[in-house]
Amino acid sequence: MPESGAVAKVWRPGTEAETALRETRIARWLLRNGIQAPRSAGTSAYPLVHSGRYHLQVTFVEDLGDRTPRPADLADVLQRLHRLAIPAGLGLPKFNPFSSLSQRIRDLPPGTLSSDQEQHLRVLLATTRSTWRATPPGPMCVIHGDATPTNCISTPHGPALIDFERTAVGPGVWDQAAAGWRRDIFGTPGEECDEFFTAYGHDVTSVDDGRSYRAMTPLFALGAWLFLAEYTRIDPDLQDEADRRLATILASPLPPFPWRWRPASRAKAEAAMAT
């Protein structure tokens, strides 16, 4: 809403009020600790509730712009986040991607997967869980959970973090690994990944021969495929990319990098050009 200098965030139908409230609390906690985040806009600290055809939560925050940060800036703000003491009172969940991924697979529309494909994904998830438990995750801290450049904005006061739906108490290497996935899975320039790891001071893709990185990668891959599989009901143009991602995940073992997946925005643009 450019005239008001605010952004309205409409949460998915059925989102609990506590989820939206937690995002507000996280942003305030970050600001108190010197990390830029969007401040609440308007007179109410609580989400607006709309109970028409859909029961919706809507939150209003200041518009921080859309300037993409440098990889070093993203690394810096994540490192500062990871150094903060885990707070009490924010209601942060413990990082557990397994249950949510399993539920999302169950919730897919009938016909999305064959019975063999679904069984393969469940075996992959179970195998990954065993590997994860056997791999030291490193120290626990507050993690963003979706540490992409699109969830960080360059502002005059430094890089700001936004969108805290996946913020949790978990291993900091999960946020660090996102830079490697952008390079290895989506093909962003290696220089950007190198800049991130140099600024952070830790390269999760090479430490311990990359064992932690490999243990996390199937979880990220499943989540990235599920995002498109769920969204193709709204945007069928993304079906080809969803199929490409599924074919990669169904390979046994997972193929070596690079995977050359297309980001959703690029896949949609290419589909539009082809029609």
Side-chain angles (χ1 to χ4, degrees), residues 95-216:
F95 180 68
N96 179 11
F98 297 97
S99 59
S100 61
L101 289 172
S102 181
Q103 183 62 51
R104 288 170 69 186
I105 291 173
R106 286 196 297 270
D107 290 343
L108 287 170
T112 302
L113 294 169
S114 69
S115 58
D116 287 345
Q117 289 174 331
E118 182 173 352
Q119 178 63 20
H120 183 103
L121 295 187
R122 295 202 176 280
V123 170
L124 175 62
L125 196 56
T127 302
T128 303
R129 186 194 297 266
S130 298
T131 304
W132 177 271
R133 288 175 174 172
T135 303
M140 296 291 106
C141 60
V142 177
I143 62 172
H144 182 278
D146 191 15
T148 66
T150 56
N151 285 333
C152 184
I153 298 172
S154 180
T155 78
H157 304 291
L161 292 174
I162 62 172
D163 288 346
F164 306 113
E165 297 98 314
R166 300 181 188 175
T167 298
V169 176
V173 290
W174 180 267
D175 281 348
Q176 299 167 37
W181 291 323
R182 288 193 295 276
R183 175 194 65 194
D184 296 334
I185 292 180
F186 293 109
T188 58
E191 295 81 3
E192 294 183 13
C193 185
D194 293 341
E195 180 182 334
F196 178 93
F197 288 135
T198 298
Y200 194 97
H202 182 84
D203 182 351
V204 69
T205 68
S206 62
V207 171
D208 194 19
D209 196 30
R211 188 166 58 136
S212 297
Y213 184 64
R214 290 194 300 274
M216 293 183 287

Side-chain angles (χ1 to χ4, degrees), residues 65-83:
D66 58 1
R67 291 182 57 196
T68 302
R70 296 185 303 111
D73 292 333
L74 177 57
D76 172 70
V77 72
L78 288 174
Q79 187 181 66
R80 288 189 285 130
L81 170 65
H82 297 162
R83 287 176 174 172

Side-chain angles (χ1 to χ4, degrees), residues 15-72:
T15 300
E16 296 182 359
E18 173 58 26
T19 302
L21 284 170
R22 184 167 60 239
E23 177 154 307
T24 300
R25 291 197 295 265
I26 292 169
R28 290 177 172 176
W29 172 71
L30 291 173
L31 287 163
R32 290 196 301 270
N33 284 277
I35 295 177
Q36 298 302 308
R39 291 174 170 80
S40 298
T43 58
S44 175
Y46 298 96
L48 175 70
V49 178
H50 171 75
S51 298
R53 181 177 179 184
Y54 297 106
H55 184 78
L56 300 175
Q57 309 286 343
V58 185
T59 49
F60 299 89
V61 298
E62 66 175 323
D63 185 356
L64 296 177
D66 58 1
R67 291 182 57 196
T68 302
R70 296 185 303 111

